[in-house]
């Protein structure tokens, strides 16, 4: 069913997901590129199966390990030419795990976001101390760690003590309709930094799939632990 | 070997993963790809404690109503007994949830062929070391959080001793005694072969343990960023020391994962 819905969606036009553009170039033939390479004339390294994505997602352009899949640091200079929708789905799940299936579940009303308190309360072992993270510390952490500019491109659905962590994040960070890459570009522009404008902004036929964040991830919890440890000293 | 088709079932392979080391999750992905290519299950997914997809999100990726969950872990311990069941909301070997049957299998490290894999790694890395002059050290994580963590390594040591290949076989650990940093005092033979009882050549087995053995500086790069895997043997403390790769990267692991699923069905028929 997931593959069938992905196929139907691609028949209607390209999908923008995180930093990816996914399109069906002709029936049964698919192309995945970094959005910056979407209309690029430069020579791209070609991958012909989904597993090529495994290598692409591991390192950024500086060769740093990308532990967080939502980090806006996907390298450019490659394209995947795939010959089945199941390969496309597999590749998407390597780039942005579960993004498409979570989006479908969200549209069916089947997603129940998990409040950060629940996430922290169930931690054991070395992460048990995160239960001492205060609401303000959690807000600050979300503002720093989750922001789309250099943190993570996911759209936050979870709450802190019942409220969206809006203190240091823009409203768009919680809006599944908002494109976090475009939001990131806007932030860059405000900063006065040079960056190519996303072609997706001027492409009305494309379909945007958000990378939804239903529950604070383990990297967030690990950061919370560092904060609690520092403050307990 | 042929395996029973489970075309209406999904397989979820659970690994530890790492936020620091890029090689930690690789064996789990590689074995999942191998099993996916055999078309035994309708779907094969990976999930991780420290990487994505997380244990909390993986079940949203699964469509089958019958799901086998196999921990790609070397031993029963804190993660298999506590973390994985908690994160996946399992309440035993079989959990029925949202019209789905979740079947929680043993960790792959419980497979009887682990002993052969350890011996194979030892022979491969130290092909010039005479076994009768060699101490074999099986090094595992060990943790104060769960006493079972060290049990699997001790069980392997006993099984290897029974085969009578090496005059001395000992277990050593990172986080509990006897500690691997004390390897020279734990062994007596002129050749010492150390085999990590780990799934991947990740942070612990590739970066931490070599420092504890004294064969590497603190700042070594991950395995995938090195041109040469190791420079065995190392002349250290008047011994010849050999350090092997982790057993979880062996291609046989795909079969071991499938056997783990078969065993689950036999035990819960």
């Amino acid at each position: 069913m997931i593959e069938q819905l992905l196929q139907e969606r691609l028949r209607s036009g390209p999908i923008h997901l995180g930093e990816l553009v996914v399109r069906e170039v002709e029936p049964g033939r698919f192309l995945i590129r970094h959005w910056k390479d979407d209309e690029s004339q430069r020579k791209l390294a070609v991958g012909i199966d989904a597993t090529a994505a495994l290598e692409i997602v591991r390192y950024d352009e500086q060769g740093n390990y990308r532990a967080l899949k939502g980090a806006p640091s996907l390298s450019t200079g490659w394209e995947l030419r795939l010959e089945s929708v199941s390969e496309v789905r597999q590749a998407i799940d390597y780039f942005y795990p579960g993004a498409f299936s979570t989006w479908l579940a969200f549209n069916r009303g089947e997603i129940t976001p998990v409040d950060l308190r629940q996430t922290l309360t169930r931690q054991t072992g070395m992460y048990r101390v995160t239960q001492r993270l205060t609401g303000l510390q959690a807000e600050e952490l979300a503002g720093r760690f989750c922001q789309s500019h250099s943190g993570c491109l996911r759209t936050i659905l979870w709450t802190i003590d019942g409220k969206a962590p809006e203190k240091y994040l823009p409203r768009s960070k919680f809006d599944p309709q908002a494109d976090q890459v475009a939001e990131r570009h806007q932030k860059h522009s405000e900063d006065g930094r040079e960056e190519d404008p996303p072609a997706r902004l001027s492409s009305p036929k494309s379909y945007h799939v958000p990378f939804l964040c239903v529950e604070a991830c383990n990297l967030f919890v690990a950061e919370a632990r560092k904060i609690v440890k520092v403050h307990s000293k | 070997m042929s395996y029973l088709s489970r075309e209406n079932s999904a397989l979820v392979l659970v690994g530890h993963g790492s936020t620091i080391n890029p090689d930690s999750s690789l064996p789990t992905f590689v074995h999942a790809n191998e099993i996916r290519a055999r078309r035994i299950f309708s779907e094969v997914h990976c999930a991780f404690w420290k990487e994505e997809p997380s244990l909390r999100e993986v079940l949203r990726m699964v469509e089958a109503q019958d799901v086998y969950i196999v921990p790609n872990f070397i031993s029963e311990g804190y993660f298999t007994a506590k973390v994985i069941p908690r994160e996946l909301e399992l309440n035993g070997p079989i959990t029925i949830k949202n019209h789905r049957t979740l079947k929680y299998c043993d960790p792959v490290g419980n497979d009887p062929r682990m002993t052969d894999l350890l011996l194979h790694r030892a022979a491969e890395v130290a092909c010039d070391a005479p076994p009768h002059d060699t101490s074999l050290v099986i090094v595992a994580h060990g943790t104060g959080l769960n006493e079972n963590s060290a049990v699997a390594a001790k069980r392997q040591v006993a099984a290897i001793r029974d085969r009578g290949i090496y005059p001395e076989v000992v277990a050593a650990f990172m986080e509990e005694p006897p500690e691997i940093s004390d390897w020279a005092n734990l062994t007596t033979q002129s050749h010492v072969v150390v085999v990590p009882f780990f799934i991947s050549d990740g942070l612990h087995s590739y970066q931490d343990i070599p420092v504890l053995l004294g064969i590497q500086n603190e700042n070594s790069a991950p395995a995938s960023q090195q041109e040469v895997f190791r420079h065995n043997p190392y002349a250290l403390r008047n011994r010849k020391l050999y350090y092997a790769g982790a057993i979880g990267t062996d291609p046989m692991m795909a079969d071991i994962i499938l056997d783990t699923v078969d065993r689950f069905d036999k035990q819960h028929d």
Side-chain angles (χ1 to χ4, degrees), chain A residues 1-3 51 54-55 58-59 63 65 67-70 89-90 93-94 97-98 101-102 105 111 114 122-128 154 211 214-215 218-219, chain B residues 17-23 25-26 29-30 33 36 43-45 48-54 56-57 60-63 78 82-83 86-87 145 222 224-225:
Chain A
M1 181 61 94
I2 292 172
E3 283 173 20
T51 54
L54 261 181
E55 276 306 300
R58 278 171 92 196
Y59 300 101
Y65 172 44
L68 185 64
K69 295 289 200 303
R89 189 203 164 187
Q90 187 61 57
D93 280 340
Y94 285 143
S101 43
T102 301
I111 293 293
V114 180
R122 67 162 202 275
Q123 299 303 316
T124 54
M126 65 188 277
Y127 297 110
R128 191 189 297 273
R154 285 196 191 237
F211 188 21
V214 177
E215 179 171 9
N218 282 338
L219 281 88
Chain B
S18 168
T19 58
I20 301 166
N21 188 293
D23 303 321
S25 55
L26 213 54
F29 281 121
V30 168
N33 281 342
R36 192 177 292 121
E43 306 164 62
V44 180
H45 300 278
F48 300 94
W49 169 232
K50 293 222 167 181
E51 291 182 39
E52 299 154 89
S54 72
R56 300 290 292 172
E57 62 194 350
R60 284 199 295 274
M61 298 163 72
V62 177
E63 293 187 271
Y78 175 62
K82 191 146 193 170
V83 175
R86 183 191 75 208
E87 297 291 291
L145 289 170
S224 56
Q225 293 170 4

Side-chain angles (χ1 to χ4, degrees), chain A:
Chain A
M1 181 61 94
I2 292 172
E3 283 173 20
Q4 197 183 330
L5 291 168
L6 179 61
Q7 173 70 78
E8 285 169 14
R9 178 48 63 192
L10 285 165
R11 284 271 150 87
S12 327
I15 290 175
H16 282 125
L17 166 56
E19 295 183 276
L20 299 179
V21 183
V22 187
R23 62 178 80 239
E24 186 171 27
V25 284
E26 57 184 75
R29 291 187 56 224
F30 304 88
L31 192 66
I32 303 181
R33 286 180 173 178
H34 192 291
W35 69 266
K36 287 181 182 171
D37 290 326
D38 194 29
E39 290 171 13
S40 162
Q41 298 302 309
R42 73 165 165 156
K43 195 169 167 56
L44 302 173
V46 176
I48 55 165
D49 60 38
T51 54
L54 261 181
E55 276 306 300
I56 297 167
V57 299
R58 278 171 92 196
Y59 300 101
D60 64 16
E61 285 188 346
Q62 286 71 47
N64 302 307
Y65 172 44
R66 294 176 72 249
L68 185 64
K69 295 289 200 303
S73 59
L74 199 60
S75 64
T76 58
W78 52 268
E79 68 178 19
L80 298 188
R81 296 176 189 171
L82 306 176
E83 299 201 337
S84 73
V85 76
S86 66
E87 284 276 304
V88 174
R89 189 203 164 187
Q90 187 61 57
I92 287 176
D93 280 340
Y94 285 143
F95 285 109
Y96 297 112
F100 192 71
S101 43
T102 301
W103 176 230
L104 294 177
F106 179 81
N107 289 333
R108 291 194 302 265
E110 293 172 4
I111 293 293
T112 308
V114 180
D115 191 89
L116 183 68
R117 285 290 156 220
Q118 283 181 49
T119 306
L120 300 184
T121 300
R122 67 162 202 275
Q123 299 303 316
T124 54
M126 65 188 277
Y127 297 110
R128 191 189 297 273
V129 294
T130 59
Q131 292 164 12
R132 304 210 306 258
L133 190 78
T134 67
L136 183 59
Q137 287 170 333
E139 286 267 9
E140 284 170 353
L141 176 55
R144 170 172 61 83
F145 190 77
C146 306
Q147 42 81 18
S148 300
H149 179 222
S150 59
C152 182
L153 293 171
R154 285 196 191 237
T155 299
I156 295 179
L157 300 181
W158 47 270
T159 50
I160 299 175
D161 300 322
K163 290 182 292 190
E166 290 180 332
K167 196 172 170 72
Y168 302 103
L169 291 168
R171 284 269 168 90
S172 57
K173 186 67 182 172
F174 312 96
D175 178 5
Q177 303 304 320
D179 179 347
Q180 297 303 317
V181 171
E183 295 293 326
R184 177 172 179 263
H185 172 70
Q186 202 174 348
K187 178 76 167 67
H188 268 293
S189 304
E190 285 166 11
D191 291 350
R193 291 164 62 172
E194 289 291 322
E195 188 165 274
D196 296 332
R200 59 208 303 166
L201 294 177
S202 56
S203 175
K205 280 187 182 172
S206 68
Y207 182 78
H208 161 241
V209 174
F211 188 21
L212 298 175
C213 189
V214 177
E215 179 171 9
C217 65
N218 282 338
L219 281 88
F220 185 98
V221 174
E223 289 296 310
R225 178 177 180 267
K226 286 183 201 165
I227 292 168
V228 173
K229 285 277 182 189
V230 165
H231 282 263
S232 67
K233 280 178 187 168

